[in-house]
Amino acid sequence: MKIAVLASGEGTNFQAIVDHVKLGILKNVDLELLIYDRQNAKAAERAKREGVENYFLDIKDRYEFDRALLKILKERNIELVALAGFMRILGEEIIREYQWKIMNIHPSLLPSFGGKGMYGLKVHQAVLMSGVKVTGCTVHYVDVAVDAGPIIIQQGVRIDEKIYELFSQNPSKAIEELSRKVLRYEHRLYSKAIQLFADNRLKVESQVIETKEGKKMVNFVRVDYSNNWEEEWDKRQRKYIEFEKNWL
Ligand code: GAR
């Protein structure tokens, strides 16, 4: 299955996908290319170092950007697009054309702490300001509303009291510490979602729900974990967790 990753910044999630492929954990997944939209994106350096084809899409206009992106995706027969720290909002046309074939990772348990303007460290700041005891990360399908597409998988991350103590003395240090902690789980979670997709284990189901305000259409992702899929995955991913320890 051919995938493209879209990134704007550091690219550590992109790196984690590369590592999962290199370690043979992600199976039947061909990482075709990285597309980036900021000249100084560190993700591009990573792609060059790793020998992954990379493409700088240097277009300001939203519609032109989407058109050019769509052209590349189609030409290359890309079957799944993974947004990894990609700081642009994609337009309706591309989302419809690639419906349920574009994923995104977000550093909180959506629908909490998501939406327009909620990205990167801002998310963790809002999390700590709220006083929640558990945060996490979410992989979801991209839909027209920002951070509101159907949720694929999530991972909870506990916030220790120590982080809150630090937050009261040095807020920016606490925000960074929490971001680093969540990021480690993002790196594991994204490849799991990609493998579930590649294994045809994800199905989006629409359901009409009667509410007091009237009928509402909701989309759910059903995940098929039958035949020990998750146990097998956890076993396979141990190799990455060992590998990750060496560079942390
Ligand atoms: C990640 O934490 C990702 O979840 C977040 O940006 C960071 C990118 O890191 N994305 C968002 O906040 C999207 N709303 P990376 O470039 O090192 O992968």
Side-chain angles (χ1 to χ4, degrees):
M1 183 201 56
K2 293 182 176 182
I3 82 163
V5 176
L6 269 62
S8 304
E10 280 297 310
T12 66
N13 275 294
F14 164 69
Q15 182 73 53
I17 297 168
V18 172
D19 294 337
H20 276 84
V21 172
K22 282 202 325 199
L23 291 167
I25 300 165
L26 270 174
K27 290 188 175 154
N28 185 27
V29 171
D30 300 318
L31 181 46
E32 285 283 301
L33 76 159
L34 169 85
I35 297 169
Y36 60 103
D37 67 332
R38 290 190 191 169
Q39 188 133 42
N40 56 357
K42 229 173 132 206
E45 271 173 48
R46 294 177 189 276
K48 285 167 197 159
R49 197 173 56 221
E50 298 289 352
V52 176
E53 195 181 328
N54 49 90
Y55 202 99
F56 177 35
L57 210 47
D58 186 16
I59 303 174
K60 288 234 154 43
D61 182 81
R62 222 178 121 170
Y63 298 99
E64 273 181 41
F65 182 94
D66 280 9
R67 214 169 303 136
L69 176 61
L70 199 54
K71 190 164 173 265
I72 299 171
L73 298 178
K74 282 186 167 173
E75 271 170 12
R76 303 295 296 261
N77 296 319
I78 299 297
E79 295 163 87
L80 175 68
V81 180
L83 310 187
F86 185 64
M87 294 306 164
R88 269 175 187 257
I89 293 171
L90 296 176
E92 272 191 52
E93 191 193 334
I94 199 157
I95 291 173
R96 293 205 196 291
E97 189 113 7
Y98 267 74
Q99 197 188 35
W100 316 144
K101 287 179 187 150
I102 308 175
M103 287 181 180
N104 180 44
I105 188 147
H106 184 81
S108 75
L109 292 176
L110 289 174
S112 295
F113 310 107
K116 221 173 170 185
M118 281 296 239
Y119 57 86
L121 295 177
K122 285 189 186 178
V123 177
H124 302 293
Q125 177 175 326
V127 163
L128 289 173
M129 283 170 71
S130 77
V132 292
K133 306 297 186 191
V134 179
T135 183
C137 43
T138 302
V139 179
H140 63 94
Y141 281 124
V142 171
D143 209 344
V144 276
V146 179
D147 293 336
I151 291 169
I152 300 167
I153 42 173
Q154 296 184 296
Q155 173 67 52
V157 176
R158 207 184 138 190
I159 308 178
D160 327 314
E161 287 306 314
K162 271 199 247 153
I163 292 196
Y164 275 115
E165 266 166 46
L166 183 61
F167 189 56
S168 62
Q169 288 144 18
N170 188 340
S172 53
K173 208 166 164 206
I175 292 165
E176 260 166 42
E177 199 163 300
L178 182 61
S179 145
R180 259 200 307 277
K181 189 172 179 191
V182 173
L183 206 47
R184 282 182 62 187
Y185 289 96
E186 290 184 41
H187 295 160
R188 299 173 190 177
L189 194 70
Y190 216 168
S191 286
K192 183 177 179 180
I194 292 169
Q195 190 67 66
L196 282 166
F197 184 96
D199 291 351
N200 217 358
R201 297 259 175 172
L202 303 176
K203 210 164 110 206
V204 181
E205 279 176 10
S206 303
Q207 203 176 317
V208 178
I209 312 275
E210 297 265 7
T211 70
K212 276 186 192 159
E213 293 78 36
K215 285 183 181 168
K216 270 194 167 172
M217 238 262 286
V218 276
N219 296 311
F220 296 104
V221 179
R222 315 287 297 192
V223 185
D224 176 6
Y225 288 121
S226 63
N227 300 324
N228 297 329
W229 189 95
E230 206 165 25
E231 287 83 345
E232 292 297 318
W233 171 259
D234 287 345
K235 229 185 276 167
R236 238 157 70 203
Q237 203 181 33
R238 264 186 228 147
K239 206 169 163 187
Y240 173 77
I241 294 168
E242 281 305 311
F243 166 85
E244 167 207 71
K245 275 192 205 141
N246 299 330
W247 58 260
L248 277 172

